[in-house]
Amino acid sequence: MCGIGGFILNPGHSASRASVQEMIDLVAHRGPDGHGIFIDGPVAFGHRRLAIIDLSEAGKQPMSSLSGDLVITYNGEIYNHIELRLELEAKGRQFSSSSDTEVILMAYAQWGERCVERFNGMWAFAIWDKRKRQVFCSRDRFGVKPFYFTQTPLGFAFGSEIRQLLPLMPTIKAREDLVLDFILTGASDHTDSTFFDGIERLPAGHNLVLDVNTGRARLVRYFRVERTSDFEGLSPDEAVRAYGSLLEDAVRLRLRSDVPVGTCLSGGLDSSAVAALAGPIYKAQSGNPFSAITAVSEQADNSEEGYAGAVANSVGLNWLRVRPDRDSFAASLDAVVRTQEEPFGSTSISMQYAVMQQARASGIPVLLDGQGGDETLLGYPKYLAAYLSAQRRTGGFGAMVSALRSAGKNNAAWSPTRALMYAVGGRQASLRYRYYLWQHRYLRAGLALPEHLRAFSAACSDDFELQRLEIERTNLPVLLRYEDKNSMAHSVETRLPFLDYRLVGMALSLPGNLKIRDGWSKWVLRRAVEQRLPHDIVWRKNKLGFEAPERVWHQHMAAQMRSDVLRSPLVSALARPSRLAATYDKLPLRAQWRLFSVARWADTFGVSGISGAPSLSPSQTGWLEKVGA
């Protein structure tokens, strides 16, 4: 896990070592174990190393192939690198290290651009192919690892973090449409653009291939979330065994490391399942107990400390707890804002930040986490309406009513009232948006109905389409951004077993009645781990999520938040100050927080204004061609 950056300049220009050094110094926190620079005319790569696999000098980057024709700068982990290495050696490929980085190089040499289809992992990398005079860039299937880029008059620049590209911008302006969307709806990270005008993301599941001679590029999609017929006809027991076996293999692969590994443990089902599966494997391999870190809320009604403790005792974990309180929250807030680089929607991000800080302090540079379990197994209340629609299609009105009754009985968050709220609100995008506009009527101008609301409305009657939307665009991307930024700020790598692409494919291919059954959400997972965890953990009916003591922290920061919002030049440019001042205290806490987050973000990063019309997208400027839907 590392930090990368580089330039591919237009013909006639050459990169300087000083400019690359400056770029990678800005992400030194992502790689404290070494750094390197490679320059070949217009191509310049930089790298900051966090040594996880092959700690020797043979694993340093940028790395060249033995032939010298290929050079890579890479951030991520390829978990099946051992199996791929054996396959490549059988084809005559030679290696000089035991790193997964060299496996990527040899895989590209063997299979070309389609090599990424063979990787099981998370990645963002750029490969300089000297023979083809092209730079091949890729981002993993779900976008676990970030890849930002911009096109300047001198050429193309990329990096692991936005801060690396800001010095290249003539002015730092906010994307007005995205800021307004965030304030109104709370949505972010659902497009390829960032909050900074002119800085883009390489989409998850895409490759970008840039021709160095012409400066033109093509963007190619290599992965899309799909369901298959491979799991049709499985009995419930067969599905449980198959899912459990694949999840355990996903965990086993993510324990491959030359440094200590631990896990995040909230006390919820997903993180508890990961801990229960990983603990025995890790102890058998290392001889040491598996460590788990829990952030304990100071707000009693949303603390999961008791649940996490039950898991730790049952599995025999080395349980570490961190207790961020209102004072530490306020003291660390500026650091969290700098770390996240873009506005964020709730105080829970500070809880996660504290977990990563504790991991580094405890000498645990790799953590597993349960991210992705809810999106793949219909774990959120907002999925209930889509599930009920599917039940009505397949079993009629009676089946839908029965499913609703069971949901209310076995899931504390799934009441008929809530199902109706999502059924009506989710499907009526325009009605939902008019409510947002009314709630935020202090704004100077509205915004056209956001596409993500239209998409959610269209997908709300089909559980698979809704899951695909949430994984690709509307929920998972922002959660992955939070996790990557928080972990790497402390030089910690996080690994996500539920996002093993094989497991995602299976989970989304299973029928809905194996994901929600008799009112139990994530039923197939509960059954798969019920012999490994206490009954009260597996079959608990309440879901808290990764919650911060939001009410307490808001109250502690209320005066500061209000002051920052009302004096923010960016907020004032978007709102009518007098009306906002009169309305602010009546807004929901999350809405107040979003305004505060925007204000703090703009102040921290020197945002000097808003783009009345967003800059042309890369494809509109003519240098980037999109290939494939």
Side-chain angles (χ1 to χ4, degrees), residues 53 78-85 98-100 103 256:
I53 293 176
I78 305 301
Y79 304 120
N80 63 333
H81 69 97
I82 295 174
E83 292 78 7
L84 286 173
R85 178 187 299 271
S98 59
S99 71
D100 60 328
V103 170
R256 288 178 169 175

Side-chain angles (χ1 to χ4, degrees), residues 523-539:
W523 179 84
V524 69
L525 172 61
R526 294 177 193 266
R527 281 288 314 278
V529 297
E530 66 179 343
Q531 301 302 317
R532 299 173 181 263
L533 286 167
H535 181 274
D536 289 346
I537 299 298
V538 175
W539 299 105

